[in-house]
Amino acid sequence: METTTLNVKGMTCGHCVAAVEGNVGKLDGVNAVKVDLGKGTVDVTFDQGVVSLAAIREEIEEQGYDVE
């Protein structure tokens, strides 16, 4: 398992948290997702043999947020 922290712009409310945590959490290989609105970060623990970091970033961007 690998854990990484992504800087994400545009998250402002509980709906944002639910959208990111819910959709990223559904990806195969993702073990844990935690959004910190105050810091504008998303911590993701995932199995890099099953899902790529690029796929996780893409899923967040599909929800309407910018991943730096």
Side-chain angles (χ1 to χ4, degrees):
M1 289 288 176
E2 179 178 335
T3 300
T4 191
T5 299
L6 301 170
N7 292 312
V8 180
K9 288 193 172 188
M11 300 183 301
T12 59
C13 65
H15 172 59
C16 301
V17 173
V20 172
E21 289 183 349
N23 287 287
V24 173
K26 290 179 186 174
L27 294 173
D28 287 339
V30 173
N31 187 45
V33 185
K34 180 64 179 160
V35 172
D36 185 325
L37 280 180
K39 293 180 181 177
T41 59
V42 178
D43 295 327
V44 185
T45 302
F46 63 102
D47 182 342
Q48 59 269 35
V50 178
V51 65
S52 68
L53 183 56
I56 293 168
R57 293 171 65 100
E58 183 177 311
E59 185 63 39
I60 294 170
E61 289 171 351
E62 285 180 7
Q63 301 311 310
Y65 308 105
D66 295 321
V67 180
E68 296 181 331

